[in-house]
């Protein structure tokens, strides 16, 4: 699972000319789902998203407060293109992205997970699968990425380690 976080002064999602979600100060999170993502990936990303210290504290100490500590808002936007790669012909290839039907279910579960872990009314989202216009006013700018290792890759790495528990070196 891959999240791209942007600290924002405001952000909104517009679909077919209608604003469907908007937030004031907080975090805009673009959410990409890998074809092998599982519930534990969502849990890890949810925890890191809400704990990520992107703001200063009351004493001016940088990188001391997260979105929950500040009582700010979160806007989640599904973005399958986060797992895109360029082919030899420089065409986008999205094979690693989760397919639409399971991604719709997992994305909805992730939105609910974030709402349950925070304050439901402070977590907004776009429209899954829609062509969205995402507008934002960066604060900083501050942009970070949160990523989990797809489970298939973790399993393959474990197999390579074998009995010794030592990964081969390149």
């Amino acid at each position: 699972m891959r999240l791209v976080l942007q600290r924002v002064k405001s952000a909104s999602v517009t679909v077919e000319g209608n604003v469907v979600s908007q937030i004031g100060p907080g975090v805009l999170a673009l959410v990409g789902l890998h074809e092998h993502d599982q519930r534990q990936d969502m849990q890890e990303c949810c925890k890191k998203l809400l704990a990520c210290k992107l703001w200063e504290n009351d004493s001016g100490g940088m990188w001391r407060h997260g979105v929950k500590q500040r009582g700010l808002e979160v806007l989640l936007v599904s973005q399958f293109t986060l797992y895109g790669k360029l082919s030899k012909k420089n065409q986008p290839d999205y094979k690693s992205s989760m397919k639409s039907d399971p991604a719709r279910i997992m994305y909805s579960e992730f939105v609910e997970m974030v709402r349950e872990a925070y304050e439901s009314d402070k977590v907004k989202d776009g429209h899954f699968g829609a062509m969205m216009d995402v507008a934002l006013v960066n604060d900083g700018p501050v942009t970070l990425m949160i990523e989990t290792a797809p489970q298939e890759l973790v399993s393959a790495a474990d197999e390579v380690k074998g009995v010794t528990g030592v990964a081969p070196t390149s």
Side-chain angles (χ1 to χ4, degrees):
M1 187 167 188
R2 186 175 286 163
L3 304 180
V4 175
L5 308 182
Q6 293 186 296
R7 187 176 76 179
V8 298
K9 293 183 178 183
S10 63
S12 64
V13 175
T14 302
V15 177
E16 297 178 0
N18 298 310
V19 175
V20 297
S21 287
Q22 60 185 351
I23 63 168
V27 174
L28 167 65
L30 304 176
V31 180
L33 297 168
H34 188 275
E35 63 180 337
H36 298 295
D37 281 340
Q38 298 176 9
R39 184 165 184 78
Q40 66 191 48
D41 297 294
M42 293 191 304
Q43 291 167 331
E44 182 178 337
C45 285
C46 175
K47 180 179 176 182
K48 287 183 177 184
L49 164 64
L50 295 175
C52 188
K53 297 179 185 309
L54 302 177
W55 290 270
E56 64 184 34
N57 64 15
D58 295 336
S59 304
M62 288 302 296
W63 319 117
R64 299 286 190 259
H65 279 180
V67 70
K68 286 177 80 169
Q69 290 169 293
R70 300 286 297 248
L72 302 175
E73 296 179 292
V74 176
L75 176 57
L76 303 170
V77 177
S78 62
Q79 179 111 26
F80 77 93
T81 61
L82 288 181
Y83 277 103
K85 294 179 182 171
L86 289 178
S87 70
K88 290 179 184 176
K89 294 181 180 180
N90 292 320
Q91 295 173 318
D93 172 357
Y94 304 110
K95 284 187 260 186
S96 295
S97 298
M98 188 175 285
K99 303 301 179 238
S100 183
D101 289 339
R104 180 182 310 274
I105 293 166
M106 185 169 268
Y107 174 74
S108 294
E109 289 175 3
F110 181 69
V111 171
E112 286 309 308
M113 184 180 290
V114 175
R115 286 181 173 147
E116 288 174 11
Y118 188 30
E119 297 176 37
S120 182
D121 63 321
K122 291 188 178 182
V123 179
K124 314 287 196 237
D125 74 308
H127 281 193
F128 183 92
M131 287 296 294
M132 296 177 273
D133 296 332
V134 180
L136 65 128
V137 176
N138 270 316
D139 182 10
V142 174
T143 304
L144 295 175
M145 189 163 69
I146 296 171
E147 186 167 23
T148 61
Q151 292 307 304
E152 180 180 82
L153 299 179
V154 171
S155 298
D158 289 344
E159 287 177 23
V160 171
K161 286 180 189 175
V163 177
T164 66
V166 177
T169 56
S170 304

